[in-house]
Amino acid sequence: MKLQSLVLAAATALTMTSAFAVPAGTWTVAAGAHYVDPKSDNGTLNNGLSVDVDGDVRPTISGEYFIADNVGVELLAATPFHHDFDLNDADGNPVLTGKTQHLPPTLSVQYHFDGYNLPMNVKPFVGVGVNYTTFFKERVSNGADLDLDDSVGVAGHIGLDIPFAATESFRIDARYMDINTDAKLDGVDAGEIDISPWVYGVAFVKSF
């Protein structure tokens, strides 16, 4: 479902009549927190061990500049996310455990909809862009040297802004990020880890 769900949501929103546009030249800043929820089945390494990556929640901040009415360019940043992971045998039993941290800056072009009757003047938006994820502080319980390559992939975004003042809103959103990384153990290619999470968040949004 992933990107297909985002496309369907965008198509539904496009059937609605838009008015009261966010004017070009507007800036918004959103501060909140997001939970990175990796997909299940994160891949199998060349040694036959399957990978299971857990989730994490961290503070986030984003800035968006409207290059045209209702059309904004957004950059998402965060403090480092921390992930524990298991390397499991064929029966699903953990053989090794590990940890890593990552930063996932994401640049998106977004369209904001409004001007129709929804409770509390809720304003939905959709976006698509690119995610760059860099990994660091990787380690494995047996002391092996683990290295995870940086990842570049598509990102989708959908959310709702709920205004409670002229320039302030509460935001609920979800993102899909295509994150795949090639792993090396002691300098030897070990296979690909597919994290590709959904990222769920809330934030306070201020416009200028």
Side-chain angles (χ1 to χ4, degrees):
M1 52 186 237
K2 296 180 183 176
L3 286 179
Q4 295 94 323
S5 298
L6 293 170
V7 171
L8 178 60
T12 301
L14 283 170
T15 65
M16 302 176 180
T17 302
S18 156
F20 308 111
V22 181
T26 298
W27 280 95
T28 67
V29 175
H34 281 77
Y35 175 69
V36 173
D37 183 23
K39 69 184 288 291
S40 59
D41 186 13
N42 302 123
T44 301
L45 300 182
N46 298 339
N47 57 11
L49 299 180
S50 63
V51 185
D52 183 17
V53 183
D54 75 352
D56 189 35
V57 60
R58 294 289 159 172
T60 56
I61 188 168
S62 64
E64 185 172 9
Y65 177 72
F66 284 77
I67 57 175
D69 290 354
N70 283 340
V71 180
V73 177
E74 183 211 50
L75 178 64
L76 172 71
T79 59
F81 287 89
H82 297 235
H83 293 281
D84 294 328
F85 60 85
D86 293 330
L87 301 180
N88 304 316
D89 63 19
D91 295 322
N93 302 309
V95 175
L96 296 171
T97 60
K99 298 177 180 292
T100 187
Q101 297 183 35
H102 82 267
L103 286 171
T106 303
L107 185 67
S108 301
V109 176
Q110 306 194 140
Y111 191 87
H112 296 250
F113 304 91
D114 54 14
Y116 45 90
N117 294 324
L118 284 176
M120 302 166 59
N121 292 320
V122 168
K123 294 175 170 56
F125 61 87
V126 294
V128 65
V130 62
N131 164 260
Y132 173 79
T133 298
T134 182
F135 296 88
F136 52 97
K137 293 187 178 179
E138 307 99 317
R139 54 191 183 274
V140 184
S141 56
N142 67 351
D145 180 25
L146 172 66
D147 180 64
L148 300 176
D149 286 349
D150 294 349
S151 168
V152 178
V154 68
H157 192 197
I158 187 168
L160 297 172
D161 286 338
I162 306 170
F164 58 86
T167 61
E168 298 173 349
S169 300
F170 176 74
R171 174 172 292 176
I172 304 170
D173 69 344
R175 301 173 189 263
Y176 170 73
M177 297 181 180
D178 181 20
I179 301 177
N180 292 272
T181 177
D182 292 323
K184 290 183 179 179
L185 285 171
D186 293 328
V188 178
D189 290 337
E192 184 179 78
I193 298 175
D194 185 4
I195 300 174
S196 296
W198 280 95
V199 183
Y200 307 102
V202 294
F204 166 78
V205 184
K206 175 74 174 179
S207 63
F208 303 90

